[in-house]
Amino acid sequence: MRRGLAGLLTAEAISLLGSRITFVALPWLVLTSTGSALMAGVAGFAEMLPYVLAGLLGGPIVDRVGPRSTAVAADVASLLAVSGIPLLAATENVSYHTLLGLIALAGALRGFGDTAKRALLPRMIAEAGLSTERGTTLYDGISRVATLLGLPLAGLLVAAVGPARVLLVDAASFGVCALLISIYVRTAPAAPGPAEEEGGYAAALRCGFRYVRQDRLIIGIMSLLFATNLFDQAFATVFVPVWVRQGPHGPAALGVLGSAFGIGAVAGNILWTIVGPRLPRRMTFAVCFLIGGPAQLFALALSDRLWLVLTVAAVAGALMSTINPILLAAVYERIPVRVQGRVMSVLIAFSWAGIPLGGVLGGWAADDLGLRTGALLAGIGYLAVTLAPFLFPVWHSLDEHRARSARTKALVGAQ
């Protein structure tokens, strides 16, 4: 593996490890401070709405300035912003609204950084000589390992030292990530298309929207992920903390649940690396999403037995480990390198737009309808939207790479 891809994946692993710790610590900090599931959801909204908007608006900047420079600058700024959250939380006379403002700033900076790193990924994969599918599977595997290690570590650290101090670990991870990318990742500028570069920032942003609007598969991906990310956010930032707080398991169970999902996801990722290129993308994606997506919501709604919820989480993790590699490979194969920053920013922004809403709606459901009813309704909604790949023909485009590969082999054979 070339040093560029190795450096990017190592940096991403460290950054994701810190982010997974914050994913547990931040809602727990708000929930225990205010006693309100809705306020925990509002904190998630305050982080993720700026994240989505920054990702959307940052795409043309990434393409113009360069993904490497943008990633390093965003990570350095994130170090400062995330460090300020526990410092403010420790100050008694600081209002909750001020804390939310700093959370929002941290979310926006992370949005810029993540957009830049996703634009870096296909360039580093090509430099390393890997296929797109294997490269995205490796990237997703890094994310799964970070989840496996980060969530249980977060649960232990929150129980040992409290959620405010734990956030400093995430702050430090941004600094390490910026250092690794600045040292190991080198990119050559992509050749611009003349029509796309005329007119400055606004024209570049319009180019991203225009490209997305013309691709029905990308529209389908955005629509599906908007809904499923909404349900996932409600589950992770509201339903799970409330389930743990109402039960006898203690805050360490926050990490144990994530660990079970992570073990399943890592195992599934290894298996997918071996057999994935030989399986049909659409049918694998559709079946795994339909079963693995809503499973944890139903388990949380129907049982308070930890062993059962852990078992379901592990199975769901194995099934869901196929989703990101399939989607990333399909999308990167469809988007020219010169516009990947702006197109990916539009795709990710709309796909993740459900996340800020998920925390708020999940908090409202847990407070007003009760945890079990809210989780059950979310599970039913999740099940309904994941029927789309079975029902709409546009999802057959996920397997277009096989047709292109067959045509290429036929042409080579004819020569």
Side-chain angles (χ1 to χ4, degrees):
M1 186 189 304
R2 294 290 185 89
R3 57 179 278 165
L5 181 59
L8 178 62
L9 292 179
T10 303
E12 189 71 351
I14 294 171
S15 178
L16 286 170
L17 182 65
S19 297
R20 295 299 183 265
I21 291 174
T22 294
F23 193 70
V24 171
L26 187 58
W28 189 256
L29 171 66
V30 176
L31 183 61
T32 54
S33 299
T34 66
S36 170
L38 180 58
M39 288 297 100
V42 169
F45 179 88
E47 180 186 16
M48 292 311 303
L49 180 62
Y51 177 94
V52 170
L53 293 177
L56 173 63
L57 300 175
I61 297 174
V62 169
D63 284 337
R64 187 64 61 90
V65 175
R68 177 179 175 273
S69 300
T70 306
V72 171
D75 282 342
V76 171
S78 294
L79 185 157
L80 300 175
V82 175
S83 297
I85 295 174
L87 296 178
L88 276 182
T91 306
E92 295 182 357
N93 60 349
V94 171
S95 69
Y96 182 64
H97 295 90
T98 303
L99 184 61
L100 288 180
L102 189 55
I103 292 172
L105 174 61
L109 292 170
R110 189 161 64 89
F112 277 108
D114 285 357
T115 299
K117 289 164 194 165
R118 291 189 185 98
L120 276 172
L121 179 61
R123 305 181 192 199
M124 295 300 101
I125 291 173
E127 180 192 88
L130 297 179
S131 68
T132 304
E133 195 152 33
R134 290 203 181 276
T136 55
T137 301
L138 186 60
Y139 176 83
D140 188 65
I142 292 293
S143 174
R144 302 301 182 181
V145 172
T147 299
L148 174 61
L149 298 178
L151 294 181
L153 178 61
L156 293 174
L157 290 175
V158 167
V161 301
R165 293 179 180 177
V166 172
L167 293 175
L168 294 174
V169 177
D170 186 26
S173 73
F174 283 111
V176 176
C177 184
L179 185 63
L180 288 171
I181 291 177
S182 63
I183 293 174
Y184 292 106
V185 176
R186 294 288 184 270
T187 59
E196 289 144 348
E197 297 303 327
E198 294 174 358
Y201 176 85
L205 191 62
R206 286 195 300 271
C207 171
F209 277 97
R210 184 169 60 250
Y211 193 98
V212 168
R213 190 171 60 247
Q214 294 171 352
D215 193 313
R216 294 180 59 202
L217 178 61
I218 291 181
I219 292 175
I221 290 171
M222 291 193 310
S223 302
L224 179 60
L225 293 184
F226 171 88
T228 57
N229 281 330
L230 185 153
F231 296 129
D232 284 334
Q233 183 75 357
F235 170 81
T237 63
V238 177
F239 294 151
V240 168
V242 171
W243 185 82
V244 170
R245 192 164 186 250
Q246 291 178 354
H249 313 298
L254 291 167
V256 174
L257 284 173
S259 179
F261 184 90
I263 290 172
V266 170
N269 184 269
I270 294 171
L271 181 62
W272 179 253
T273 301
I274 299 170
V275 305
R278 296 192 293 272
L279 295 177
R281 284 181 183 173
R282 184 188 71 88
M283 189 53 63
T284 303
F285 173 84
V287 171
C288 290
F289 219 166
L290 180 70
I291 299 173
Q296 293 189 94
L297 285 161
F298 287 132
L300 219 62
L302 302 175
S303 177
D304 57 1
R305 297 178 180 177
L306 183 59
W307 68 267
L308 178 60
V309 175
L310 291 177
T311 301
V312 171
V315 174
L319 293 171
M320 295 296 285
S321 67
T322 65
I323 303 304
N324 287 340
I326 290 174
L327 291 184
L328 283 174
V331 168
Y332 282 138
E333 289 166 356
R334 302 172 76 87
I335 303 174
V337 172
R338 65 179 181 271
V339 296
Q340 277 177 349
R342 72 201 76 172
V343 176
M344 288 296 293
S345 70
V346 174
L347 189 157
I348 292 169
F350 280 91
S351 299
W352 285 49
I355 294 179
L357 299 175
V360 175
L361 292 176
W364 167 79
D367 280 345
D368 287 15
L369 303 178
L371 170 64
R372 295 190 183 279
T373 301
L376 182 62
L377 290 175
I380 293 171
Y382 208 129
L383 188 68
V385 298
T386 48
L387 289 172
F390 293 98
L391 301 177
F392 298 104
V394 67
W395 288 94
H396 288 277
S397 299
L398 286 175
D399 289 316
E400 282 181 350
H401 70 295
R402 295 188 183 278
R404 287 195 299 268
S405 178
R407 287 195 297 268
T408 301
K409 290 179 181 179
L411 288 172
V412 172
Q415 293 175 356

